[in-house]
Amino acid sequence: MSGNQGMEQLIPLVNKLQDAFSSLGVSLNLDLPQIAVVGGQSAGKSSVLENFVGRDFLPRGSGIVTRRPLVLQLIFSPNGEWAEFLHQKNKKYSDFDAVRKEIEDETDRMTGHTKNVSNAPINLRVYSPHVLNLTLVDLPGMTKVPVGDQPPDIEHQIRSMILEFVKNENCLILAVSPANADLANSDALKMAKEVDPQGLRTIGVITKLDLMDEGTDAREILENKLLPLRRGYIGVVNRSQKDIEGRKDIRAALAAERQFFLSHSAYRHMADRMGTSWLQKTLNQQLTNHIRDTLPKLRSRLQSQMLSMEKEVEEYKNFRPDDPSRKTKAMLQLVQMAGVDFEKQIEGGGGENVNVRELSSGAKINRIFVERFPFELVKMEFDEKELRKEISYAIKNIHGIRSGLFTPDMAFEIIVKKQISKLKEPSLKCVDMVVNELMTVVHFMTAKMNNYPVLKEETERIITTHVREREQRAKDQLLLFVDIQLAYMNTNHEDFIGFANAQHKSSHESKAKLGNQVIRKGNLSLSHGGFLKSSRDFWFVLTTENISWYADDQERDKKYMLPLDGLRIKDMESGFMSKKPMFALFNSNGRNVYKDYRQLELTCESQDDVESWKASFLRAGVYPDRSKEEDKSEDKKDNDLPSMDPELERQVETIRNLVESYMNIVNKTFRDVVPKTVMHLVVNNTKEFISQELLAHLYSAGDQSQLMEESAEESQRREEMLRIYHATKDALGIIGEVSAHTITTPTPPPVKDDWVPPPGPPSPGIRPGMRTAAAPPPPGNRAPAPRVRVFRRR
């Protein structure tokens, strides 16, 4: 299949584009236009199609030969040349005479051995290294009068069949008309005019120029002066039936056609724009124009793809995998980024990358210091009933068999030391909570090392080891601080009330209030008790005196206001229908807290919110539930309780006030010292270690090449990304090359094509476009000159 030179020149360009897009894993959909051949019976349509393809494979004969649409798909294949029919899967034809025979047999199978037509297409695929991916359509010839056993509406059937193909905007129309027929009555031109009024996709083809009457020619038609088309007309000379039967090949036929135009006086001056070769060139140029029109969209898509990949390949696009310094550069860069990420997570900062969906680790650590740790301290505070009992035991045991007249200061020291020892647990728990948050930061900052699993594992090991060392150092320091507090009771502290003031202080003296200040606002779900708990969201406002809830955050529709006096807080298990964390408010005296409910059950979105609300209630004076400890105390035998005579009660009250005053000083000191100790010994020290010493520890850990060894998956992903990136650049270069090595022919200007066939039949023997040798040509774009009589050859 080598008769179309122009197509063979297009193939390498399209193949380059195809290969570039295949390497990207993207299909190149050029959507090349269909080429449909339209014309009357025996106008030479099949011959025109065969000449374009360069192979003999279509049935020939007189009358209506093409009775079913033939959809010919040309498919580029470098592996040889063969044909396949859609109705015969997995059967290949290498003999094109057999292809012609199968077309005839398949036509007869549908229409029988009659002149009837069918709109069921025959799908033929031709694979060849000499073609583009293109679709050609050979259609039955148009007729007006039924012949033989054809149905009366044969004209309508064929017309509808042809319109189904040519009305597609992506279809080039070859309107084939014989030169020895009246062009004004050409059904092909009429139909092309109907579906393509602008004439942008219609090319006129004039056949049988060698069969015109002697002394006549089609010069005015081919010069586009008579019934002009926007893309003009091209004359061709097909092989005769005698040539076909004599096995005259296409190459010889093309040479004879060329000789005909060069030797004919009427066509000699335009021989270079006539013939099958020019028709091929014209169609190939239309394909080139279509490809070039498609390139801007392809270029835009590739450029967008490159921009989207820039960020992903940023860390290694400037050096290739075989760069010997690549691993060292990558390790330095990753360690630096890890230090920056750690500091940003702890210290915070502004900019566009601020997380607006969750708290950073630094903010969570601050919450631990401000809310969680003070709450844990309060949980360790003494219970009033248990404290008084312990003080009375201490006083009685110190006096022994004697009845004491004075308050023993030893009892104060014993009780205070016991209370101070309880501070070890919340202090150590504060360290644990901060360390857990730091480990979250470590995992976050090493996530960018996923490409290098050995480096990530070693980095996490080194940092974790250091954090654990600093954790133990901080715990030892806090335990030492507790021991320091136990070593000496500073009763001369300026905030300590002393024995004299403690004796005059009332045990029921209420704390001075600072007014009804707002402590916290936020959304909570109010649950109603029962097996299947239902809940509803409200806007809650907590103050130092009460808690109120509203319909929304506008705080206009107040639903209820609950005083805080006598309230306690406790944890709750999640309900059957909800897994969200809960807590509850209840009255310590057992009364209903809200309407008919013993407790007010509140639901939060997360456990962190629960802890934060509990800390806020603590600031408002609502303390955690100690009912379990109280129940255990009440279970003890009554004979264990000391007798409370007035003198002993006075001494207990004095010691109790002294303990409360001194523990307020100690708790205040711990709330200040513990966060500072944890920050200095753990957080800040770890930050300095990562920025200053981590790289040195990594170098001393082993061979850098082993540290920077990539996992198979990451190596494959990186290589694939780099390949796609460079393939995209190559594809853009090929698009530029195609643009540089091809040209676009401009669309011809519109012509005066509002011609309409004259009413009534033309005079016998006269055909527009035919003229005698002596007749002067009419002016362009005007009606033809008055007809003169010409004579046919006998």
Side-chain angles (χ1 to χ4, degrees), residues 527-590:
S527 301
H528 300 290
F531 178 70
L532 296 176
K533 295 182 180 180
S534 60
S535 61
R536 183 180 173 187
D537 291 341
F538 291 100
W539 180 259
F540 281 78
V541 177
L542 174 65
T543 68
T544 54
E545 296 180 357
N546 54 64
I547 181 170
S548 306
W549 54 94
Y550 301 81
D552 51 43
D553 58 2
Q554 300 297 320
E555 299 181 13
R556 295 172 182 171
D557 183 12
K558 180 183 286 189
K559 298 299 182 181
Y560 200 80
M561 183 177 71
L562 182 65
L564 299 181
D565 293 339
L567 291 185
R568 290 289 183 269
I569 190 171
K570 67 178 180 179
D571 292 324
M572 290 282 296
E573 294 184 0
S574 300
F576 178 74
M577 300 297 290
S578 174
K579 298 299 182 182
K580 294 182 178 180
M582 301 176 63
F583 66 95
L585 299 175
F586 66 99
N587 260 319
S588 56
N589 55 18

Side-chain angles (χ1 to χ4, degrees), residues 683-724:
V683 180
N684 290 342
N685 186 275
T686 302
K687 181 174 67 175
E688 293 176 2
F689 174 81
I690 292 175
S691 62
Q692 298 177 8
E693 302 180 34
L694 175 60
L695 189 61
H697 279 74
L698 286 172
Y699 275 120
S700 62
D703 187 8
Q704 286 76 41
S705 60
Q706 293 180 355
L707 286 176
M708 298 304 294
E709 183 177 351
E710 293 178 323
S711 64
E713 296 80 7
E714 288 299 328
S715 177
Q716 182 178 358
R717 188 191 71 85
R718 179 182 57 78
E719 295 295 340
E720 181 67 13
M721 185 178 298
L722 282 174
R723 185 191 64 77
I724 293 177

Side-chain angles (χ1 to χ4, degrees), residues 58 90 110 195 222 230 275 453 481 522 529 532 543 566 589 612 620 772:
L58 295 177
N90 301 324
M110 182 65 69
V195 298
L222 297 177
R230 191 165 187 173
F481 186 68
L532 296 176
T543 68
N589 55 18
S612 181
T772 61

Side-chain angles (χ1 to χ4, degrees), residues 31-253:
D31 196 18
L32 293 176
Q34 288 183 347
I35 299 176
V37 185
V38 181
Q41 291 183 12
S42 301
K45 304 182 303 302
S46 298
S47 296
V48 170
L49 197 59
E50 281 185 337
N51 289 343
F52 179 77
V53 175
R55 272 286 189 177
D56 293 330
F57 63 95
L58 295 177
R60 297 300 188 89
S62 59
I64 182 167
V65 177
T66 305
R67 288 175 287 144
R68 290 176 61 183
L70 176 66
V71 179
L72 173 61
Q73 292 178 273
L74 303 180
I75 301 174
F76 174 81
S77 173
N79 302 320
E81 189 171 87
W82 72 94
E84 292 178 358
F85 286 96
L86 191 61
H87 62 272
Q88 291 182 332
K89 294 183 178 180
N90 301 324
K91 183 176 181 180
K92 296 183 178 181
Y93 289 83
S94 56
D95 182 3
F96 280 81
D97 290 334
V99 172
R100 180 188 301 109
K101 181 66 167 59
E102 179 58 29
I103 293 175
E104 294 173 348
D105 294 343
E106 179 63 18
T107 300
D108 291 340
R109 277 192 285 269
M110 182 65 69
T111 62
H113 297 279
T114 66
K115 300 293 184 180
N116 289 336
V117 297
S118 171
N119 61 357
I122 299 174
N123 292 89
L124 173 63
R125 293 178 177 176
V126 176
Y127 298 83
S128 172
H130 307 294
V131 299
L132 288 174
N133 293 337
L134 198 63
T135 300
L136 308 173
V137 183
D138 188 21
L139 296 165
M142 291 179 284
T143 184
K144 294 184 180 295
V145 180
V147 177
D149 50 6
Q150 289 181 339
D153 64 341
I154 185 67
E155 178 185 6
H156 175 73
Q157 287 186 26
I158 296 177
R159 176 181 172 83
S160 300
M161 186 190 310
I162 296 174
L163 280 175
E164 185 177 346
F165 289 92
V166 299
K167 67 183 180 182
N168 182 3
E169 291 294 330
N170 200 34
C171 178
L172 287 176
I173 304 171
L174 296 186
V176 180
S177 303
N180 58 357
D182 190 350
L183 187 64
N185 289 330
S186 171
D187 292 325
L189 291 178
K190 290 179 183 177
M191 184 170 289
K193 176 75 172 176
E194 179 181 338
V195 298
D196 180 30
Q198 301 296 324
L200 294 174
R201 52 190 182 92
T202 302
I203 298 175
V205 180
I206 306 298
T207 61
K208 303 187 178 182
L209 291 169
D210 56 332
L211 301 181
M212 294 185 70
D213 292 342
E214 186 177 356
T216 62
D217 58 59
R219 176 176 176 176
E220 292 180 0
I221 297 173
L222 297 177
E223 289 179 344
N224 208 27
K225 294 179 180 179
L226 182 67
L227 306 182
L229 293 175
R230 191 165 187 173
R231 296 194 180 274
Y233 296 88
I234 299 174
V236 298
V237 177
N238 296 325
R239 292 174 296 171
S240 65
Q241 190 64 31
K242 181 180 178 181
D243 294 335
I244 296 171
E245 293 173 355
R247 298 289 182 175
K248 185 177 183 179
D249 65 13
I250 290 180
R251 288 179 179 273

Side-chain angles (χ1 to χ4, degrees), residues 43 69 106 122 188 263 313 369 387 458 479 518 542 602 683 710 732 735 750:
E106 179 63 18
I122 299 174
S263 60
V313 300
F369 292 154
L387 177 65
E458 189 65 21
L479 292 176
V518 175
L542 174 65
L602 302 172
V683 180
E710 293 178 323
L732 286 171
I735 288 177

